[in-house]
Amino acid sequence: MSYGTTLRDEVRSPGTTPLIGIYDMYSASVVARHYDGFFVSGFGFAASHYGLPDIGFIAWPDMVAFVERLRLAFPTHHLLVDIDDGYVDPEVACHVVQRLERIGASGVILEDQKRPRRCGHADGKQVLPLEEYLEKLNLVLESRQDLVVVARTDATEESDILRRAEALAATDADVVLVDGVRSVEWIKRIREVVGDKPLLFNQIAGGKSPRLSLSELTDLDCQVAIYSTPCLFAAHAAIDSALTDLKRSDGRLPEFVASEGIGVQRSTELLEKNISRHHPARESVTV
């Protein structure tokens, strides 16, 4: 299966393609019941794999191993992978991109931040000189075969945002992302300078960008929307609530209602789907 081509065709189809941020195999298993596209979020992976903030702790072999597990369990889902700055060195970036493509990633996002890096919606971001980033980006583009490459800028100064967005659109990158864009008006301005290049919009709870529906993004001519952390933040709230209730009840589990709650049976059935996806005849039996 040509995963890059499949995602590229989806991006070019009418409407805005949603890719949902997942942080581990279980969250991906739940998302797979609702959407056919994953975003392998650096924020979520740093939080779940290391228990650390998204400021540059991720080691590329860990990310590659995670994507390999995802592809094994989800053979037909889109997998867009956040590779941050390509792990600093351009040749490392190329190596990681080739490894990811071989194990079935659909695409990657490569940013222009310099170290110490930050979450795209955090303050204090610094960017590489444009020429230095373009050199890294072009090496990555030359090293991929079919993989979708999203060129991302984290520029914050208004003139620099437009200058970099226009330069990124002029490359062979498939999609452009300006992260932390603050308003609908700025989405329109960015769209003007990138021409007909597909545009990606990143939404994160508590972030700097406006909350927009897929219909609104389609009207703004944004071809892709990534949702970085809905699963991670929902899990945080749900776990905290469940343990608060458990402590309040002196350790007694709440009464379990099979039709409403998640118990061992429903959890096991969810995970069994990750086996049956490789056996279409069995998938219809396991629900």
Side-chain angles (χ1 to χ4, degrees), residues 20-38 70 74 77 230-231 234-235 262 266-267 270-271 273-274 277:
I20 307 301
I22 49 92
Y23 63 89
D24 66 359
M25 295 298 295
Y26 201 92
S27 63
S29 302
V30 177
V31 171
R33 299 178 60 229
H34 302 275
Y35 292 91
D36 60 7
F38 298 146
L70 281 169
F74 306 98
H77 277 66
C231 299
I262 301 297
R266 287 184 66 184
S267 179
L270 175 76
L271 297 175
K273 297 285 283 185
N274 297 340
R277 285 188 187 90

Side-chain angles (χ1 to χ4, degrees), residues 32 36 154 186 248 273 287:
D36 60 7
D154 282 82
W186 264 97
R248 185 182 296 120
K273 297 285 283 185
V287 295

Side-chain angles (χ1 to χ4, degrees), residues 188-233:
K188 294 177 179 178
R189 295 180 68 179
I190 293 163
R191 165 48 67 200
E192 289 178 2
V193 300
V194 301
D196 63 355
K197 184 76 74 172
L199 195 59
L200 185 152
F201 181 72
N202 180 21
Q203 301 196 78
I204 182 170
K208 297 183 182 298
S209 298
R211 295 184 305 115
L212 298 172
S213 69
L214 291 174
S215 298
E216 289 170 321
L217 289 170
T218 297
D219 291 341
L220 290 167
D221 202 18
C222 289
Q223 283 72 24
V224 189
I226 55 174
Y227 297 82
S228 296
T229 54
C231 299
L232 180 69
F233 294 168

Side-chain angles (χ1 to χ4, degrees), residues 20-228:
I20 307 301
I22 49 92
Y23 63 89
D24 66 359
M25 295 298 295
Y26 201 92
S27 63
S29 302
V30 177
V31 171
R33 299 178 60 229
H34 302 275
Y35 292 91
D36 60 7
F38 298 146
F39 171 51
V40 185
S41 159
F43 189 111
F45 186 76
S48 64
H49 198 79
Y50 306 104
L52 293 170
D54 185 24
I55 56 175
F57 286 105
I58 296 173
W60 69 260
D62 294 338
M63 180 61 83
V64 169
F66 179 45
V67 174
E68 185 175 32
R69 293 197 300 274
L70 281 169
R71 181 49 78 204
L72 182 63
F74 306 98
T76 63
H77 277 66
H78 304 303
L79 293 179
L80 179 63
V81 184
D82 183 2
I83 61 169
D84 294 339
D85 58 359
Y87 310 100
V88 185
D89 185 84
E91 292 300 338
V92 173
C94 293
H95 178 72
V96 172
V97 162
Q98 291 170 342
R99 289 280 298 272
L100 287 171
E101 184 161 16
R102 286 176 186 144
I103 62 176
S106 307
V108 297
I109 299 178
L110 179 71
E111 69 189 33
D112 63 357
Q113 284 198 54
K114 65 180 180 181
R115 300 287 170 126
R117 70 169 308 281
R118 296 284 183 268
C119 165
H121 289 253
D123 295 326
K125 297 187 297 181
Q126 303 177 74
V127 292
L128 295 167
L130 179 56
E131 294 72 20
E132 184 177 340
Y133 172 70
L134 290 176
E135 181 178 356
K136 182 190 295 187
L137 174 63
N138 285 321
L139 283 172
V140 164
L141 291 168
E142 291 171 3
S143 70
R144 60 99 183 255
Q145 295 181 16
D146 180 59
L147 197 75
V148 169
V149 174
V150 179
R152 163 179 159 178
T153 181
D154 282 82
T156 56
E157 296 181 4
E158 294 186 357
S159 61
D160 200 28
I161 290 172
L162 298 178
R163 180 175 74 99
R164 287 174 181 257
E166 185 174 14
L168 271 50
T171 70
D172 289 331
D174 300 279
V175 183
V176 169
L177 162 61
V178 177
D179 211 7
V181 61
R182 296 171 183 263
S183 68
V184 168
E185 180 57 35
W186 264 97
I187 296 174
K188 294 177 179 178
R189 295 180 68 179
I190 293 163
R191 165 48 67 200
E192 289 178 2
V193 300
V194 301
D196 63 355
K197 184 76 74 172
L199 195 59
L200 185 152
F201 181 72
N202 180 21
Q203 301 196 78
I204 182 170
K208 297 183 182 298
S209 298
R211 295 184 305 115
L212 298 172
S213 69
L214 291 174
S215 298
E216 289 170 321
L217 289 170
T218 297
D219 291 341
L220 290 167
D221 202 18
C222 289
Q223 283 72 24
V224 189
I226 55 174
Y227 297 82
S228 296

